[in-house]
Short mmCIF file of all heavy atoms in Angstrom, two decimals:
data_model
loop_
_atom_site.label_atom_id
_atom_site.label_comp_id
_atom_site.label_asym_id
_atom_site.label_seq_id
_atom_site.Cartn_x
_atom_site.Cartn_y
_atom_site.Cartn_z
N ARG A 1103 109.48 110.67 90.74
CA ARG A 1103 108.06 111.00 90.71
C ARG A 1103 107.89 112.49 91.00
O ARG A 1103 108.52 113.03 91.91
CB ARG A 1103 107.28 110.19 91.73
CG ARG A 1103 105.78 110.55 91.78
CD ARG A 1103 104.97 109.55 92.55
NE ARG A 1103 105.39 109.45 93.94
CZ ARG A 1103 104.90 108.56 94.80
NH1 ARG A 1103 104.02 107.67 94.39
NH2 ARG A 1103 105.32 108.53 96.05
N ALA A 1104 107.06 113.12 90.21
CA ALA A 1104 106.66 114.51 90.45
C ALA A 1104 105.20 114.50 90.88
O ALA A 1104 104.33 114.00 90.16
CB ALA A 1104 106.83 115.34 89.18
N THR A 1105 104.93 115.02 92.08
CA THR A 1105 103.58 114.99 92.65
C THR A 1105 103.10 116.42 92.92
O THR A 1105 103.83 117.22 93.50
CB THR A 1105 103.58 114.21 93.97
OG1 THR A 1105 104.15 112.91 93.76
CG2 THR A 1105 102.15 114.04 94.50
N ASP A 1106 101.87 116.73 92.47
CA ASP A 1106 101.34 118.06 92.76
C ASP A 1106 100.63 118.05 94.11
O ASP A 1106 100.49 117.01 94.75
CB ASP A 1106 100.43 118.55 91.63
CG ASP A 1106 99.15 117.72 91.48
OD1 ASP A 1106 98.76 117.06 92.46
OD2 ASP A 1106 98.55 117.73 90.40
N ASN A 1107 100.19 119.22 94.53
CA ASN A 1107 99.55 119.33 95.85
C ASN A 1107 98.06 119.64 95.71
O ASN A 1107 97.47 120.32 96.54
CB ASN A 1107 100.23 120.41 96.69
CG ASN A 1107 100.07 121.81 96.09
OD1 ASN A 1107 99.83 121.94 94.88
ND2 ASN A 1107 100.19 122.85 96.90
N GLY A 1108 97.46 119.08 94.65
CA GLY A 1108 96.03 119.25 94.46
C GLY A 1108 95.24 118.51 95.53
O GLY A 1108 95.77 117.70 96.29
N LEU A 1109 93.93 118.79 95.56
CA LEU A 1109 93.07 118.17 96.55
C LEU A 1109 93.14 116.65 96.44
O LEU A 1109 93.19 115.93 97.43
CB LEU A 1109 91.63 118.67 96.38
CG LEU A 1109 90.68 118.37 97.53
CD1 LEU A 1109 91.20 118.94 98.83
CD2 LEU A 1109 89.29 118.88 97.22
N SER A 1110 93.11 116.18 95.18
CA SER A 1110 93.42 114.77 94.90
C SER A 1110 94.74 114.79 94.14
O SER A 1110 94.75 115.03 92.93
CB SER A 1110 92.32 114.11 94.07
OG SER A 1110 91.10 114.07 94.78
N SER A 1111 95.84 114.59 94.84
CA SER A 1111 97.15 114.78 94.22
C SER A 1111 97.36 113.80 93.08
O SER A 1111 96.97 112.64 93.16
CB SER A 1111 98.25 114.61 95.27
OG SER A 1111 98.25 113.31 95.78
N LEU A 1112 97.96 114.32 92.02
CA LEU A 1112 98.30 113.52 90.86
C LEU A 1112 99.81 113.56 90.67
O LEU A 1112 100.50 114.43 91.21
CB LEU A 1112 97.60 114.05 89.61
CG LEU A 1112 96.07 114.01 89.62
CD1 LEU A 1112 95.51 114.61 88.34
CD2 LEU A 1112 95.56 112.58 89.79
N ASP A 1113 100.33 112.60 89.91
CA ASP A 1113 101.77 112.56 89.71
C ASP A 1113 102.12 112.04 88.33
O ASP A 1113 101.28 111.52 87.60
CB ASP A 1113 102.46 111.73 90.79
CG ASP A 1113 101.92 110.31 90.88
OD1 ASP A 1113 101.55 109.75 89.83
OD2 ASP A 1113 101.86 109.75 91.98
N ASP A 1114 103.38 112.21 87.98
CA ASP A 1114 103.96 111.63 86.78
C ASP A 1114 105.29 111.04 87.18
O ASP A 1114 105.90 111.46 88.18
CB ASP A 1114 104.15 112.70 85.69
CG ASP A 1114 104.49 112.08 84.35
OD1 ASP A 1114 104.24 110.87 84.17
OD2 ASP A 1114 105.01 112.80 83.46
N VAL A 1115 105.74 110.03 86.44
CA VAL A 1115 107.02 109.40 86.75
C VAL A 1115 107.93 109.45 85.54
O VAL A 1115 107.48 109.49 84.39
CB VAL A 1115 106.85 107.93 87.21
CG1 VAL A 1115 106.10 107.86 88.52
CG2 VAL A 1115 106.16 107.10 86.14
N CYS A 1116 109.22 109.45 85.78
CA CYS A 1116 110.23 109.46 84.73
C CYS A 1116 111.35 108.52 85.14
O CYS A 1116 111.93 108.68 86.22
CB CYS A 1116 110.76 110.88 84.51
SG CYS A 1116 112.09 111.00 83.30
N THR A 1117 111.64 107.52 84.32
CA THR A 1117 112.71 106.58 84.59
C THR A 1117 113.96 107.01 83.83
O THR A 1117 113.91 107.24 82.63
CB THR A 1117 112.31 105.15 84.20
OG1 THR A 1117 111.14 104.77 84.94
CG2 THR A 1117 113.42 104.17 84.51
N ILE A 1118 115.07 107.09 84.54
CA ILE A 1118 116.31 107.64 83.99
C ILE A 1118 117.43 106.64 84.20
O ILE A 1118 117.58 106.05 85.27
CB ILE A 1118 116.66 108.97 84.70
CG1 ILE A 1118 115.52 109.98 84.55
CG2 ILE A 1118 117.97 109.54 84.16
CD1 ILE A 1118 115.61 111.13 85.53
N LYS A 1119 118.23 106.45 83.15
CA LYS A 1119 119.43 105.62 83.27
C LYS A 1119 120.62 106.52 83.57
O LYS A 1119 120.91 107.45 82.82
CB LYS A 1119 119.70 104.82 82.00
CG LYS A 1119 120.95 103.94 82.10
CD LYS A 1119 121.15 103.08 80.87
CE LYS A 1119 121.77 103.87 79.73
NZ LYS A 1119 122.19 102.98 78.62
N VAL A 1120 121.33 106.21 84.66
CA VAL A 1120 122.55 106.94 85.02
C VAL A 1120 123.73 106.03 84.68
O VAL A 1120 123.85 104.93 85.22
CB VAL A 1120 122.58 107.31 86.51
CG1 VAL A 1120 123.86 108.08 86.83
CG2 VAL A 1120 121.35 108.13 86.88
N THR A 1121 124.59 106.47 83.78
CA THR A 1121 125.75 105.70 83.36
C THR A 1121 126.97 106.11 84.18
O THR A 1121 127.28 107.29 84.28
CB THR A 1121 126.04 105.92 81.87
OG1 THR A 1121 124.89 105.53 81.10
CG2 THR A 1121 127.24 105.09 81.42
N ILE A 1122 127.63 105.13 84.78
CA ILE A 1122 128.83 105.38 85.57
C ILE A 1122 130.03 105.29 84.64
O ILE A 1122 130.24 104.27 83.97
CB ILE A 1122 128.97 104.38 86.73
CG1 ILE A 1122 127.66 104.32 87.54
CG2 ILE A 1122 130.15 104.74 87.61
CD1 ILE A 1122 127.24 105.63 88.13
N LEU A 1123 130.83 106.35 84.58
CA LEU A 1123 131.97 106.42 83.69
C LEU A 1123 133.24 105.94 84.40
O LEU A 1123 133.48 106.27 85.55
CB LEU A 1123 132.17 107.85 83.19
CG LEU A 1123 131.00 108.49 82.43
CD1 LEU A 1123 131.36 109.91 82.02
CD2 LEU A 1123 130.62 107.65 81.21
N ASP A 1124 134.03 105.18 83.67
CA ASP A 1124 135.29 104.71 84.21
C ASP A 1124 136.32 105.83 84.17
O ASP A 1124 136.34 106.64 83.24
CB ASP A 1124 135.79 103.53 83.37
CG ASP A 1124 137.02 102.87 83.98
OD1 ASP A 1124 137.05 102.72 85.21
OD2 ASP A 1124 137.93 102.50 83.21
N ILE A 1125 137.16 105.89 85.18
CA ILE A 1125 138.30 106.80 85.16
C ILE A 1125 139.56 105.96 85.33
O ILE A 1125 139.51 104.83 85.84
CB ILE A 1125 138.22 107.88 86.26
CG1 ILE A 1125 138.23 107.24 87.67
CG2 ILE A 1125 136.98 108.75 86.08
CD1 ILE A 1125 138.30 108.25 88.79
N ASN A 1126 140.66 106.50 84.90
CA ASN A 1126 141.93 105.76 84.98
C ASN A 1126 142.51 105.94 86.38
O ASN A 1126 143.46 106.67 86.60
CB ASN A 1126 142.88 106.29 83.91
CG ASN A 1126 144.10 105.39 83.74
OD1 ASN A 1126 144.17 104.34 84.35
ND2 ASN A 1126 145.04 105.81 82.93
#
């Protein structure tokens, strides 16, 4: 979430997939 510091704060959200890579 990104939130501003306005008098009435507003925000936006971003959902991210993190892929875990296999190592040998």
Side-chain angles (χ1 to χ4, degrees):
R1103 178 167 61 186
T1105 306
D1106 66 22
N1107 65 338
L1109 194 57
S1110 296
S1111 63
L1112 297 178
D1113 56 35
D1114 191 19
V1115 295
C1116 176
T1117 300
I1118 302 163
K1119 180 176 80 170
V1120 180
T1121 301
I1122 309 301
L1123 301 180
D1124 188 41
I1125 62 174
N1126 192 5

